Amino acid sequence: MAGGGYPVGSTIKPFVSAAAFQEKVINTSTVIQDNGKIEVPNMYDPSIVYTFKGWKPEGLGSVDVFKAISMSSDVFYYTVGGGYQNFKGLGVTRLLSYYSKFGFGSKTGLDIGDETAGSMPSPEKKKKATGETWGVGDTYNISIGQGDFMASPLQLATAISSIVNGGTLYKPYLVKEITDENGKLVKTVQPQVTRSNLISPEYLALVRKGMRQTVESGTGCCSINREVPVPVAGKTGTAETSSEGYDGKNPRTKPHAWFEAYAPSDNPEIVVVALVEYSGEGAEYALPVVRDTLKWYFTEGKK
């Protein structure tokens, strides 16, 4: 799917992790306490307190980057993305810069068909559209793939491929070769590099470790381990479609379900991204699509 833009939810967290490593905002020893929420007083009126909740009300406890990826800690990424108390996060400028480097906000250049560039919010765009100033809550939202940040499944697939391959973003293509009416080869399409050296390979390896843990013991466990004959790494995502959440009646207020994965995790050859619109949790609705695709690919597809 290249034509539609969607909030990507927690599938964005590996990219935030990579940016935070590169900018020295975190390292492997960084630990953040996830108590289920963070509270931020209004800078002009401290009696007004804004609450930003994680997906698990009681919290996930002490979280390092590997647990943050594998268990999808919102509180960790609020903090790393926007900062909190004495922890200085990436901030909106650096965050948006890295999203852009990974190809978000731009068309991938797919060789056939129309596609969306998605949507990249910014303080300037918000000011122009609403007259309001960008706040830390806006940075928190885009740090977990919510707010006005939108991307297509194709953009996500090309971006995650750059994490998998060591830091190179490629232009995707569907036509591998062209032959004439007699079957004679006329042209072979060669891969085109869009950007390279996005993130230091050592940091991407750490992000991949977290994505492997997602499938081993995290939010993406455990049916893939049982049914796919090779090791898989991935990331779940559940993207809210309504600021009020699912109202119990209108199905279009249900979240979009996402799952991104690659396999084999120790020697990757395929990336799969699944989006199930207005369905629910990524682990419940999108993960089975990826699981069955990989299962077929590494069994029937190899025959």
Side-chain angles (χ1 to χ4, degrees):
M1 296 173 70
Y6 303 85
V8 297
S10 294
T11 58
I12 203 66
K13 290 172 180 175
F15 305 100
V16 180
S17 302
F21 273 129
Q22 189 72 23
E23 292 294 312
K24 305 296 192 293
V25 170
I26 63 170
N27 56 46
T28 55
S29 299
T30 301
V31 174
I32 291 171
Q33 194 67 25
D34 181 344
N35 293 318
K37 63 181 179 181
I38 59 176
E39 295 180 329
V40 181
N42 183 291
M43 62 184 299
Y44 302 109
D45 184 355
S47 67
I48 300 174
V49 178
Y50 304 107
T51 301
F52 299 89
K53 298 179 179 179
W55 67 266
K56 191 173 184 179
E58 65 273 29
L60 294 166
S62 298
V63 177
D64 64 7
V65 66
F66 306 114
K67 185 175 179 180
I69 295 173
S70 64
M71 294 302 296
S72 203
S73 170
D74 292 324
V75 170
F76 184 93
Y77 290 100
Y78 291 149
T79 306
V80 169
Y84 182 60
Q85 295 179 344
N86 295 325
F87 191 100
K88 184 174 176 57
L90 284 162
V92 60
T93 300
R94 287 191 290 182
L95 199 57
L96 293 178
S97 174
Y98 276 92
Y99 286 170
S100 179
K101 289 178 181 179
F102 280 111
F104 296 113
S106 302
K107 293 183 179 181
T108 66
L110 184 68
D111 49 0
I112 63 173
D114 193 17
E115 65 169 319
T116 182
S119 175
M120 285 274 283
S122 70
E124 295 75 23
K125 289 179 181 177
K126 181 179 180 180
K127 187 70 174 179
K128 184 177 180 180
T130 69
E132 297 177 358
T133 302
W134 185 276
V136 67
D138 297 303
T139 306
Y140 287 166
N141 279 333
I142 65 170
S143 297
I144 62 166
Q146 293 287 167
D148 293 328
F149 180 88
M150 304 280 178
S152 71
L154 179 63
Q155 286 176 309
L156 193 57
T158 56
I160 205 67
S161 294
S162 71
I163 286 181
V164 174
N165 68 33
T168 301
L169 190 70
Y170 286 94
K171 176 182 175 181
Y173 60 94
L174 299 177
V175 178
K176 185 176 181 180
E177 58 185 31
I178 300 171
T179 60
D180 62 19
E181 64 273 16
N182 298 315
K184 183 180 178 180
L185 182 64
V186 174
K187 180 182 179 181
T188 298
V189 177
Q190 298 296 326
Q192 296 183 36
V193 175
T194 304
R195 295 182 187 88
S196 58
N197 302 314
L198 293 175
I199 303 286
S200 297
E202 63 184 289
Y203 298 141
L204 293 178
L206 295 173
V207 174
R208 294 194 297 270
K209 179 180 176 180
M211 294 181 72
R212 175 59 182 150
Q213 288 184 14
T214 299
V215 176
E216 288 180 312
S217 57
T219 57
C221 182
C222 294
S223 63
I224 288 183
N225 292 330
R226 293 193 301 267
E227 300 187 34
V228 180
V230 300
V232 179
K235 181 72 192 76
T236 51
T238 304
E240 298 296 332
T241 58
S242 168
S243 60
E244 304 300 323
Y246 177 45
D247 65 8
K249 298 178 182 179
N250 182 1
R252 294 186 73 83
T253 61
K254 287 185 176 181
H256 297 318
W258 289 90
F259 193 69
E260 58 191 3
Y262 62 91
S265 60
D266 53 356
N267 187 24
E269 59 181 83
I270 182 173
V271 166
V272 181
V273 173
L275 164 69
V276 183
E277 297 175 306
Y278 305 109
S279 56
E281 297 288 330
E284 184 175 358
Y285 293 95
L287 185 151
V289 177
V290 173
R291 179 196 65 211
D292 292 349
T293 301
L294 292 175
K295 181 179 179 180
W296 178 88
Y297 179 86
F298 287 105
T299 54
E300 299 300 317
K302 291 291 188 178
K303 292 181 179 179

